Coordinates of all heavy atoms in Angstrom, one line a residue:
M1 N 0.8 -1.2 0.0 CA 0.0 0.0 0.0 C 0.9 1.2 0.0 O 0.5 2.3 -0.5 CB -0.9 0.0 1.2 CG -2.0 1.0 1.2 SD -3.0 1.0 2.7 CE -3.4 -0.7 2.9
S2 N 2.0 1.2 0.6 CA 2.9 2.4 0.7 C 3.5 2.8 -0.6 O 3.9 1.9 -1.4 CB 4.0 2.1 1.8 OG 4.7 3.3 1.9
D3 N 3.5 4.0 -0.9 CA 4.1 4.6 -2.1 C 4.7 5.9 -1.7 O 4.0 6.9 -1.5 CB 3.0 4.7 -3.2 CG 3.5 5.3 -4.5 OD1 4.8 5.5 -4.6 OD2 2.7 5.5 -5.4
T4 N 6.0 5.9 -1.7 CA 6.7 7.2 -1.3 C 6.5 8.3 -2.2 O 6.7 9.5 -1.8 CB 8.2 6.9 -1.1 OG1 8.7 6.4 -2.4 CG2 8.5 5.9 -0.1
G5 N 6.0 8.1 -3.4 CA 5.7 9.2 -4.3 C 4.4 9.9 -4.0 O 4.1 11.0 -4.6
R6 N 3.6 9.4 -3.1 CA 2.3 10.0 -2.8 C 2.5 10.9 -1.6 O 3.2 10.7 -0.7 CB 1.3 8.9 -2.5 CG 1.0 8.1 -3.7 CD 0.2 6.9 -3.5 NE -1.0 7.2 -2.7 CZ -1.9 6.3 -2.6 NH1 -1.8 5.1 -3.1 NH2 -3.0 6.6 -1.8
C7 N 1.8 12.1 -1.7 CA 1.9 13.1 -0.7 C 0.8 12.9 0.4 O -0.2 12.2 0.1 CB 2.0 14.5 -1.2 SG 0.5 14.9 -2.2
W8 N 1.0 13.5 1.5 CA 0.1 13.3 2.6 C -1.4 13.6 2.3 O -2.3 12.9 2.7 CB 0.5 14.1 3.9 CG 0.3 15.6 3.8 CD1 1.2 16.5 3.5 CD2 -0.9 16.2 4.2 NE1 0.6 17.8 3.6 CE2 -0.7 17.6 4.1 CE3 -2.2 15.8 4.7 CZ2 -1.7 18.6 4.4 CZ3 -3.1 16.8 5.0 CH2 -2.9 18.1 4.8
P9 N -1.7 14.7 1.4 CA -3.2 14.9 1.2 C -3.8 13.7 0.5 O -5.0 13.4 0.7 CB -3.2 16.1 0.3 CG -1.9 16.8 0.6 CD -0.9 15.8 0.9
E10 N -3.1 13.0 -0.4 CA -3.6 11.9 -1.1 C -3.9 10.7 -0.1 O -4.9 10.1 -0.2 CB -2.7 11.4 -2.2 CG -2.5 12.4 -3.3 CD -1.4 11.9 -4.3 OE1 -1.6 10.9 -4.9 OE2 -0.4 12.6 -4.4
L11 N -2.9 10.5 0.7 CA -3.1 9.4 1.7 C -4.2 9.7 2.7 O -5.0 8.8 3.1 CB -1.8 9.2 2.4 CG -0.6 8.6 1.6 CD1 0.7 8.7 2.3 CD2 -0.9 7.2 1.1
Y12 N -4.3 10.9 3.1 CA -5.4 11.4 4.0 C -6.7 11.1 3.3 O -7.7 10.6 3.9 CB -5.2 12.8 4.4 CG -6.3 13.4 5.2 CD1 -6.5 13.0 6.5 CD2 -7.1 14.4 4.7 CE1 -7.5 13.6 7.2 CE2 -8.1 15.0 5.4 CZ -8.3 14.5 6.7 OH -9.3 15.1 7.5
R13 N -6.9 11.6 2.1 CA -8.1 11.4 1.3 C -8.5 9.9 1.2 O -9.6 9.6 1.4 CB -7.9 12.0 -0.1 CG -9.2 12.2 -0.8 CD -9.0 13.0 -2.1 NE -8.4 14.3 -1.9 CZ -7.2 14.6 -2.3 NH1 -6.4 13.8 -2.9 NH2 -6.8 15.9 -2.0
Q14 N -7.5 9.1 0.9 CA -7.8 7.7 0.8 C -8.3 7.1 2.1 O -9.2 6.3 2.2 CB -6.5 6.9 0.4 CG -6.7 5.4 0.2 CD -7.7 5.1 -0.9 OE1 -7.7 5.7 -2.0 NE2 -8.5 4.1 -0.7
A15 N -7.7 7.5 3.2 CA -8.1 7.0 4.6 C -9.5 7.4 4.9 O -10.3 6.6 5.4 CB -7.1 7.6 5.6
I16 N -9.8 8.7 4.6 CA -11.2 9.1 5.0 C -12.3 8.6 4.1 O -13.4 8.5 4.5 CB -11.3 10.7 5.2 CG1 -11.0 11.4 3.9 CG2 -10.4 11.1 6.3 CD1 -11.3 12.9 4.0
L17 N -11.9 8.2 2.9 CA -12.8 7.6 2.0 C -12.9 6.1 2.0 O -13.8 5.5 1.3 CB -12.5 8.1 0.5 CG -12.7 9.6 0.3 CD1 -12.2 10.0 -1.1 CD2 -14.1 10.1 0.6
E18 N -12.0 5.5 2.7 CA -12.0 4.0 2.7 C -13.3 3.5 3.3 O -13.7 3.8 4.4 CB -10.8 3.5 3.5 CG -10.7 2.0 3.6 CD -10.5 1.4 2.2 OE1 -9.5 1.6 1.5 OE2 -11.5 0.6 1.8
S19 N -13.9 2.6 2.6 CA -15.2 2.0 3.1 C -15.0 0.6 3.6 O -15.9 0.1 4.3 CB -16.2 2.0 1.9 OG -15.8 1.2 0.9
D20 N -13.9 0.0 3.4 CA -13.6 -1.3 3.9 C -13.0 -1.2 5.3 O -11.9 -0.8 5.4 CB -12.6 -2.1 2.9 CG -12.3 -3.5 3.4 OD1 -12.5 -3.8 4.6 OD2 -11.8 -4.2 2.5
R21 N -13.8 -1.6 6.3 CA -13.4 -1.4 7.7 C -12.1 -2.2 8.0 O -11.4 -1.9 8.9 CB -14.5 -1.8 8.6 CG -15.7 -0.8 8.4 CD -16.8 -1.2 9.4 NE -16.4 -1.0 10.8 CZ -16.4 0.2 11.4 NH1 -16.8 1.3 10.8 NH2 -16.0 0.3 12.6
G22 N -11.9 -3.3 7.3 CA -10.7 -4.1 7.5 C -9.4 -3.4 7.0 O -8.3 -3.6 7.6
R23 N -9.5 -2.6 6.0 CA -8.4 -1.9 5.5 C -8.2 -0.5 6.1 O -7.1 0.1 6.0 CB -8.5 -1.7 4.0 CG -8.5 -3.1 3.3 CD -8.7 -3.0 1.8 NE -7.9 -1.9 1.2 CZ -8.0 -1.7 -0.1 NH1 -8.7 -2.3 -0.9 NH2 -7.2 -0.7 -0.6
L24 N -9.2 0.0 6.8 CA -9.2 1.4 7.3 C -8.0 1.6 8.3 O -7.3 2.6 8.1 CB -10.5 1.7 8.0 CG -10.6 3.1 8.5 CD1 -10.5 4.2 7.4 CD2 -12.0 3.3 9.2
P25 N -7.7 0.7 9.2 CA -6.6 1.0 10.1 C -5.3 1.2 9.4 O -4.5 2.1 9.8 CB -6.6 -0.2 11.1 CG -8.0 -0.7 11.0 CD -8.5 -0.5 9.6
A26 N -5.0 0.4 8.4 CA -3.8 0.6 7.7 C -3.7 1.9 7.0 O -2.6 2.6 7.0 CB -3.6 -0.6 6.7
W27 N -4.8 2.3 6.4 CA -4.8 3.6 5.7 C -4.6 4.8 6.7 O -3.9 5.8 6.4 CB -6.1 3.8 4.9 CG -6.0 3.1 3.6 CD1 -6.8 2.1 3.2 CD2 -5.2 3.5 2.5 NE1 -6.5 1.7 1.9 CE2 -5.5 2.6 1.4 CE3 -4.2 4.4 2.2 CZ2 -4.8 2.6 0.2 CZ3 -3.6 4.5 1.0 CH2 -3.9 3.6 0.0
I28 N -5.3 4.7 7.8 CA -5.2 5.7 8.9 C -3.7 5.8 9.3 O -3.2 6.9 9.4 CB -6.1 5.4 10.1 CG1 -7.5 5.6 9.7 CG2 -5.7 6.3 11.3 CD1 -8.5 5.1 10.7
E29 N -3.1 4.6 9.6 CA -1.7 4.7 10.0 C -0.8 5.3 8.9 O 0.1 6.0 9.2 CB -1.2 3.2 10.4 CG 0.2 3.2 10.9 CD 0.4 4.1 12.2 OE1 -0.6 4.2 13.0 OE2 1.4 4.7 12.3
E30 N -0.9 4.9 7.7 CA -0.1 5.4 6.6 C -0.3 6.9 6.5 O 0.7 7.6 6.3 CB -0.4 4.6 5.3 CG 0.6 5.0 4.2 CD 0.5 4.1 3.0 OE1 -0.3 3.1 3.0 OE2 1.2 4.3 2.1
A31 N -1.5 7.3 6.5 CA -1.7 8.8 6.4 C -1.2 9.5 7.6 O -0.6 10.6 7.4 CB -3.3 9.0 6.2
S32 N -1.4 9.0 8.7 CA -0.9 9.7 10.0 C 0.7 9.8 9.9 O 1.2 10.8 10.3 CB -1.3 8.9 11.2 OG -2.7 8.9 11.4
E33 N 1.3 8.7 9.5 CA 2.8 8.8 9.4 C 3.2 9.8 8.3 O 4.2 10.5 8.6 CB 3.3 7.4 9.0 CG 4.8 7.4 8.9 CD 5.6 7.9 10.1 OE1 5.1 7.7 11.3 OE2 6.6 8.6 10.0
A34 N 2.6 9.9 7.2 CA 2.9 10.9 6.2 C 2.7 12.3 6.7 O 3.5 13.2 6.5 CB 2.1 10.7 4.9
I35 N 1.7 12.5 7.5 CA 1.4 13.8 8.1 C 2.5 14.2 9.1 O 3.0 15.3 9.1 CB 0.0 13.8 8.7 CG1 -1.1 13.8 7.6 CG2 -0.2 15.1 9.6 CD1 -2.5 13.5 8.1
R36 N 2.8 13.2 10.0 CA 3.9 13.5 10.9 C 5.2 13.8 10.3 O 6.0 14.6 10.7 CB 4.0 12.3 11.9 CG 2.8 12.2 12.9 CD 3.1 11.2 14.0 NE 3.1 9.8 13.5 CZ 2.0 9.0 13.4 NH1 0.9 9.5 13.8 NH2 2.1 7.8 12.9
R37 N 5.5 13.0 9.2 CA 6.7 13.2 8.4 C 6.8 14.7 7.9 O 7.8 15.4 8.0 CB 6.9 12.2 7.4 CG 8.2 12.2 6.6 CD 8.4 11.0 5.7 NE 7.2 10.6 5.0 CZ 6.5 9.5 5.2 NH1 6.8 8.6 6.2 NH2 5.4 9.1 4.5
R38 N 5.7 15.1 7.3 CA 5.6 16.4 6.7 C 5.7 17.5 7.7 O 6.3 18.5 7.6 CB 4.3 16.6 5.9 CG 4.2 18.0 5.2 CD 5.3 18.2 4.2 NE 5.1 19.5 3.6 CZ 6.1 20.3 3.2 NH1 7.3 19.9 3.3 NH2 5.8 21.5 2.7
S39 N 5.1 17.3 8.9 CA 5.2 18.2 10.0 C 6.6 18.4 10.4 O 7.0 19.5 10.7 CB 4.3 17.7 11.2 OG 2.9 17.8 10.9
R40 N 7.3 17.3 10.5 CA 8.7 17.3 10.9 C 9.5 18.1 9.9 O 10.4 18.9 10.2 CB 9.3 15.9 11.1 CG 9.0 15.3 12.4 CD 9.8 14.0 12.7 NE 9.6 13.0 11.6 CZ 8.6 12.1 11.6 NH1 7.8 12.0 12.6 NH2 8.5 11.2 10.6
E41 N 9.3 17.9 8.6 CA 10.0 18.6 7.5 C 9.8 20.1 7.7 O 10.7 20.9 7.6 CB 9.5 18.2 6.2 CG 9.9 16.8 5.7 CD 9.2 16.4 4.4 OE1 8.4 17.2 3.9 OE2 9.4 15.3 4.0
L42 N 8.5 20.5 7.9 CA 8.3 21.9 8.1 C 8.9 22.5 9.3 O 9.5 23.6 9.3 CB 6.7 22.2 8.2 CG 6.0 21.9 6.9 CD1 4.5 22.1 7.1 CD2 6.5 22.9 5.8
W43 N 8.9 21.7 10.4 CA 9.5 22.2 11.7 C 11.0 22.4 11.5 O 11.6 23.4 11.9 CB 9.2 21.2 12.8 CG 9.7 21.7 14.1 CD1 9.0 22.5 14.9 CD2 10.9 21.4 14.8 NE1 9.7 22.7 16.1 CE2 10.9 22.0 16.0 CE3 12.0 20.6 14.5 CZ2 11.9 21.9 16.9 CZ3 13.0 20.5 15.4 CH2 13.0 21.2 16.6
Y44 N 11.7 21.4 10.9 CA 13.1 21.5 10.7 C 13.5 22.5 9.7 O 14.6 23.1 9.8 CB 13.7 20.1 10.3 CG 13.9 19.1 11.4 CD1 13.2 18.0 11.4 CD2 14.7 19.4 12.5 CE1 13.3 17.1 12.5 CE2 14.9 18.5 13.5 CZ 14.1 17.4 13.5 OH 14.2 16.5 14.6
A45 N 12.6 22.9 8.8 CA 12.9 24.0 7.9 C 12.7 25.3 8.5 O 12.9 26.4 7.9 CB 12.0 23.8 6.6
G46 N 12.1 25.3 9.7 CA 11.9 26.6 10.4 C 10.7 27.3 9.8 O 10.6 28.6 9.9
S47 N 9.8 26.6 9.2 CA 8.6 27.2 8.6 C 7.7 27.8 9.6 O 7.4 27.2 10.7 CB 7.8 26.1 7.9 OG 6.6 26.6 7.4
P48 N 7.3 29.1 9.4 CA 6.4 29.8 10.3 C 5.0 29.1 10.2 O 4.7 28.3 9.3 CB 6.4 31.2 9.8 CG 6.7 31.1 8.4 CD 7.6 29.9 8.2
E49 N 4.2 29.5 11.1 CA 2.8 29.0 11.1 C 2.2 29.3 9.7 O 2.4 30.4 9.1 CB 1.9 29.8 12.1 CG 0.5 29.3 12.2 CD 0.4 27.9 12.7 OE1 1.2 27.4 13.4 OE2 -0.7 27.3 12.4
S50 N 1.6 28.3 9.1 CA 1.1 28.4 7.8 C -0.2 27.6 7.6 O -0.6 26.9 8.5 CB 2.1 27.8 6.8 OG 2.2 26.4 6.9
R51 N -0.9 27.8 6.5 CA -2.1 27.1 6.3 C -1.8 25.6 6.3 O -2.6 24.8 6.8 CB -2.7 27.6 4.9 CG -3.7 26.7 4.3 CD -5.1 27.2 4.7 NE -6.1 26.2 4.3 CZ -7.2 26.6 3.8 NH1 -7.5 27.9 3.5 NH2 -8.1 25.7 3.5
E52 N -0.7 25.2 5.6 CA -0.4 23.7 5.6 C -0.2 23.2 7.0 O -0.7 22.1 7.3 CB 0.8 23.5 4.7 CG 1.1 22.0 4.6 CD 2.3 21.6 3.8 OE1 3.1 22.5 3.5 OE2 2.4 20.4 3.4
R53 N 0.4 23.9 7.8 CA 0.6 23.4 9.2 C -0.7 23.2 9.9 O -0.9 22.3 10.7 CB 1.6 24.3 10.0 CG 3.0 24.1 9.5 CD 4.0 25.0 10.2 NE 4.2 24.5 11.6 CZ 5.0 25.0 12.4 NH1 5.8 26.0 12.0 NH2 5.1 24.6 13.6
R54 N -1.6 24.2 9.8 CA -2.9 24.0 10.4 C -3.7 22.9 9.8 O -4.4 22.1 10.5 CB -3.7 25.4 10.2 CG -3.2 26.5 11.1 CD -4.1 27.7 11.1 NE -4.3 28.3 9.7 CZ -3.4 29.2 9.2 NH1 -2.3 29.6 9.8 NH2 -3.7 29.6 8.0
D55 N -3.6 22.7 8.4 CA -4.2 21.6 7.8 C -3.7 20.2 8.3 O -4.4 19.3 8.5 CB -4.0 21.6 6.3 CG -4.8 22.8 5.6 OD1 -5.7 23.4 6.3 OD2 -4.6 23.1 4.4
L56 N -2.4 20.2 8.5 CA -1.7 19.0 9.0 C -2.3 18.6 10.4 O -2.6 17.5 10.7 CB -0.2 19.1 9.1 CG 0.5 19.1 7.8 CD1 1.9 19.7 7.9 CD2 0.6 17.7 7.1
D57 N -2.4 19.6 11.3 CA -2.9 19.4 12.6 C -4.3 18.9 12.6 O -4.7 18.0 13.3 CB -2.8 20.7 13.4 CG -1.4 21.1 13.8 OD1 -0.5 20.2 13.7 OD2 -1.2 22.3 14.1
S58 N -5.1 19.6 11.8 CA -6.5 19.2 11.6 C -6.7 17.8 11.1 O -7.5 17.0 11.6 CB -7.3 20.2 10.7 OG -7.3 21.4 11.3
A59 N -5.9 17.4 10.1 CA -6.0 16.1 9.5 C -5.6 15.0 10.5 O -6.3 14.0 10.6 CB -5.1 16.0 8.3
L60 N -4.6 15.3 11.3 CA -4.1 14.3 12.3 C -5.2 14.1 13.4 O -5.5 13.0 13.8 CB -2.8 14.8 12.9 CG -1.9 13.7 13.5 CD1 -1.7 12.5 12.6 CD2 -0.6 14.3 13.9
R61 N -5.8 15.2 13.8 CA -6.9 15.1 14.8 C -8.1 14.3 14.2 O -8.6 13.5 14.9 CB -7.4 16.5 15.2 CG -6.5 17.1 16.3 CD -7.1 18.3 16.9 NE -7.5 19.4 16.0 CZ -6.7 20.3 15.5 NH1 -5.4 20.4 15.9 NH2 -7.1 21.2 14.7
F62 N -8.4 14.6 13.0 CA -9.6 13.9 12.4 C -9.3 12.4 12.3 O -10.1 11.5 12.5 CB -10.0 14.5 11.0 CG -11.2 13.8 10.5 CD1 -12.4 14.2 11.0 CD2 -11.1 12.9 9.5 CE1 -13.6 13.6 10.5 CE2 -12.2 12.3 9.0 CZ -13.5 12.6 9.5
L63 N -8.0 12.0 11.9 CA -7.7 10.6 11.7 C -7.7 9.9 13.1 O -8.1 8.8 13.2 CB -6.3 10.5 11.1 CG -6.2 10.8 9.6 CD1 -4.7 10.8 9.2 CD2 -7.1 9.9 8.8
G64 N -7.4 10.7 14.2 CA -7.5 10.1 15.5 C -8.9 9.8 15.9 O -9.2 8.8 16.4
L65 N -9.8 10.7 15.5 CA -11.2 10.5 15.8 C -11.7 9.3 14.9 O -12.5 8.5 15.4 CB -12.0 11.7 15.4 CG -11.8 12.9 16.3 CD1 -12.5 14.1 15.8 CD2 -12.4 12.6 17.7
L66 N -11.3 9.2 13.7 CA -11.7 8.1 12.8 C -11.2 6.8 13.4 O -11.9 5.8 13.3 CB -11.2 8.4 11.4 CG -11.6 7.5 10.3 CD1 -13.2 7.5 10.2 CD2 -11.0 7.9 9.0
R67 N -10.0 6.8 13.9 CA -9.4 5.6 14.5 C -10.3 5.2 15.7 O -10.6 4.0 15.9 CB -8.0 5.9 14.9 CG -7.3 4.6 15.5 CD -5.9 4.9 16.0 NE -5.1 5.2 14.8 CZ -4.3 6.2 14.5 NH1 -4.4 7.3 15.4 NH2 -3.6 6.4 13.5
M68 N -10.7 6.1 16.6 CA -11.5 5.8 17.7 C -12.9 5.3 17.3 O -13.4 4.3 17.9 CB -11.7 7.0 18.6 CG -10.5 7.4 19.4 SD -10.7 8.6 20.7 CE -11.5 9.9 19.8
V69 N -13.5 5.9 16.4 CA -14.9 5.5 15.9 C -14.7 4.1 15.3 O -15.6 3.2 15.5 CB -15.4 6.5 14.9 CG1 -16.7 5.9 14.2 CG2 -15.8 7.8 15.6
G70 N -13.7 3.9 14.5 CA -13.5 2.5 13.9 C -13.3 1.4 14.9 O -13.7 0.3 14.7
A71 N -12.6 1.8 16.0 CA -12.3 0.8 17.0 C -13.6 0.4 17.8 O -13.6 -0.6 18.4 CB -11.2 1.3 17.9
E72 N -14.5 1.3 17.9 CA -15.7 1.1 18.7 C -16.7 0.1 18.0 O -17.5 -0.5 18.7 CB -16.5 2.4 18.9 CG -15.8 3.3 19.8 CD -16.5 4.7 19.9 OE1 -17.5 4.9 19.3 OE2 -16.0 5.5 20.7
K73 N -16.6 -0.1 16.7 CA -17.6 -0.9 16.0 C -17.1 -2.3 15.7 O -16.0 -2.6 15.6 CB -18.1 -0.2 14.8 CG -18.8 1.1 15.2 CD -19.4 1.7 14.0 CE -20.2 3.0 14.6 NZ -21.0 3.6 13.6

């Protein structure tokens, strides 16, 4: 499933659109890791607060909620 050429928004989109509950945890993990990796890149680059950083934070929070809802059922 992993493809290093894909960026975090694509992986995030795939995770939130995944309808197969069996595959959902893997997509959530892959998207979360891509988001954390991009956040680190921005941090090490000294990037100021930006729209992308806010989007990364929001996406990671939503994936966390999706993970909790998926675990409940």
Side-chain angles (χ1 to χ4, degrees):
M1 190 180 316
S2 181
D3 179 3
T4 56
R6 292 168 54 167
C7 58
W8 76 265
E10 293 174 64
L11 294 168
Y12 175 67
R13 192 172 304 111
Q14 182 64 37
I16 63 174
L17 295 176
E18 181 59 64
S19 61
D20 182 342
R21 296 182 65 81
R23 294 175 48 180
L24 183 59
W27 280 113
I28 290 172
E29 185 55 38
E30 189 168 357
S32 296
E33 180 53 37
I35 291 168
R36 287 189 292 269
R37 187 172 37 252
R38 180 62 179 148
S39 291
R40 282 191 301 270
E41 288 172 0
L42 292 173
W43 188 82
Y44 283 116
S47 175
E49 183 65 25
S50 66
R51 167 93 189 224
E52 184 180 14
R53 288 179 71 175
R54 289 188 300 275
D55 289 348
L56 289 163
D57 291 342
S58 294
L60 203 53
R61 279 193 302 276
F62 186 78
L63 288 174
L65 291 171
L66 189 58
R67 182 180 290 123
M68 285 190 309
V69 169
E72 290 176 357
K73 296 184 179 189

